[in-house]
């Protein structure tokens, strides 16, 4: 997605070889117009899949997920992150390790909002090691619903998440795919199917 | 806002005399179409105020705030909640007590996204005791920006927040105002100026 790649080049800050900060439009300040374009692009890529529900995770997944939900005409569920789980009643839970924060979190979705007939699109802001995505897949599968695919705003293709998800047979659609953050520069994976958007 | 009041009547669950659960469309599952209508209504109410930025708080404020930001053509910043504050560099911080969770949280916004020329609309999902709203006002004022008003999705008018904010001279626009949750019933404040929406 050209608009997104340009935004990353213009405003992204490379903190280390592994960390890209996009606080000016995605992770702290949000650019609603860009979120709408992102939502429309997710909707375009998954419009043939009969999506009935979007699942994301708080907080940075919410804006792109809601815009995609608006475009696809489906509701969005955001998984809650909890350090410790006090309420287990009617919750689908999974465990997610954060490499950035070096801590284990429980993520949870209320079972009343997902059922076996749902066809779910999972959306998240970043894909790095794939821990959050795998946790969300786990939760969706526990509900009996099917995972139709994963929509990612920014994929760090040099980390293992994207490949691991594809090996699990999950369709991954990432709107910007970063090949490297070395020497403070963002370089993208060449993405021929993506040139038009 | 009639559409919102109907949604609360249809799907809201009164847990106690003080607690209304709206997990099916606002706080866990999100209804994007309703969020768009809410965003448009906030934009309508504040369109004469020259808003340059919206400030909200993770996680449930994000969806309505982003829709309002899309409609007003301004960016949205969501304050981060932190139990303990490790990074204080360039952060505007305030302390917020949660009556629900009975704990003190630090909320933070990066100072680079707010400046003295900004005219800020604060948006949040609920207004009860006004702690979160007062924390957000504090942060905006620390940046030197002006608070043009506060947009609330659901106000619990029987709690002290709305009155306290008005006493501070802050304009509060709540799209649904709840008078009472007694006996498991939601009753709304009669709101004559609001009959048309």
């Amino acid at each position: 997605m050209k608009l997104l790649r340009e935004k990353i080049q213009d405003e992204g800050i490379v903190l280390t070889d592994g960390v890209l900060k996009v606080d000016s439009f995605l992770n702290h300040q949000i650019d609603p117009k860009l979120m709408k374009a992102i939502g429309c692009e997710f909707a375009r890529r998954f419009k043939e899949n009969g999506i009935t529900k979007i699942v994301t995770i708080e907080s940075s997944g919410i804006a792109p997920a809601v815009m995609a939900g608006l475009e696809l005409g489906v509701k969005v569920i955001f998984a809650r992150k909890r350090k410790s789980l006090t309420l287990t009643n009617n919750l689908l839970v999974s465990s997610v390790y954060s490499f950035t924060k070096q801590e284990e979190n429980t993520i949870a979705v209320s079972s009343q909002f997902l059922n076996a007939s749902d066809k779910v699109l999972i959306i998240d802001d970043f894909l790095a090691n794939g821990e959050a995505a795998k946790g969300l897949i786990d939760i969706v599968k526990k509900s009996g619903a099917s995972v139709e695919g994963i929509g990612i705003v920014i994929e760090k293709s040099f980390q293992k998440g994207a490949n691991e998800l594809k090996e699990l047979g999950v369709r991954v659609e990432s709107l910007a795919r970063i090949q490297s953050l070395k020497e403070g520069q963002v370089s993208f994976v060449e993405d021929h199917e993506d040139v038009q958007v």
Side-chain angles (χ1 to χ4, degrees), chain A:
Chain A
M1 188 178 172
K2 189 162 170 275
L3 183 67
L4 176 61
R5 286 196 301 268
E6 287 170 355
K7 195 86 169 179
I8 293 168
Q9 287 288 15
D10 291 347
E11 300 186 17
I13 295 166
V14 179
L15 289 183
T16 69
D17 284 2
V19 180
L20 172 71
K21 199 172 165 183
V22 288
D23 271 9
S24 72
F25 61 87
L26 183 59
N27 293 135
H28 183 30
Q29 182 170 255
I30 300 172
D31 182 335
K33 213 171 140 188
L34 178 65
M35 292 305 122
K36 185 164 198 294
I38 284 169
C40 287
E41 178 59 14
F42 282 135
R44 189 184 72 79
R45 296 194 188 195
F46 288 96
K47 69 175 186 292
E48 310 297 341
N49 293 78
I51 303 299
T52 63
K53 212 143 259 189
I54 291 171
V55 172
T56 186
I57 185 164
E58 61 181 352
S59 290
S60 298
I62 294 174
V66 168
M67 289 300 182
L70 185 67
E71 199 64 23
L72 286 168
V74 301
K75 289 183 181 165
V76 173
I77 304 160
F78 64 92
R80 293 276 190 185
K81 285 177 200 164
R82 298 152 188 254
K83 278 241 176 47
S84 62
L85 200 73
T86 48
L87 179 72
T88 50
N89 205 13
N90 300 321
L91 287 181
L92 303 162
V93 299
S94 191
S95 192
V96 171
Y97 181 75
S98 165
F99 285 89
T100 321
K101 295 179 184 166
Q102 301 204 343
E103 64 183 21
E104 191 91 15
N105 276 287
T106 300
I107 64 171
V109 164
S110 172
S111 58
Q112 69 182 301
F113 300 125
L114 278 178
N115 63 61
S117 64
D118 276 318
K119 302 175 87 166
V120 176
L121 169 59
I122 291 170
I123 286 182
D124 205 3
D125 58 335
F126 266 92
L127 175 60
N129 289 297
E131 291 295 309
K134 280 183 269 183
L136 292 171
I137 291 171
D138 182 40
I139 280 177
V140 173
K141 289 192 170 166
K142 279 174 177 163
S143 77
S146 67
V147 175
E148 294 300 310
I150 299 188
I152 295 293
V153 182
I154 302 174
E155 172 188 307
K156 293 193 283 184
S157 308
F158 57 90
Q159 289 179 292
K160 64 181 182 179
N163 281 334
E164 284 190 4
L165 293 174
K166 285 169 196 165
E167 280 164 19
L168 289 172
V170 179
R171 177 178 164 205
V172 179
E173 291 285 344
S174 302
L175 304 191
R177 299 172 66 212
I178 292 172
Q179 188 168 52
S180 161
L181 295 171
K182 285 186 181 153
E183 294 168 14
Q185 296 295 312
V186 181
S187 60
F188 294 97
V189 176
E190 278 196 52
D191 208 344
H192 296 293
E193 61 183 333
D194 186 43
V195 285
Q196 79 282 11
V197 291

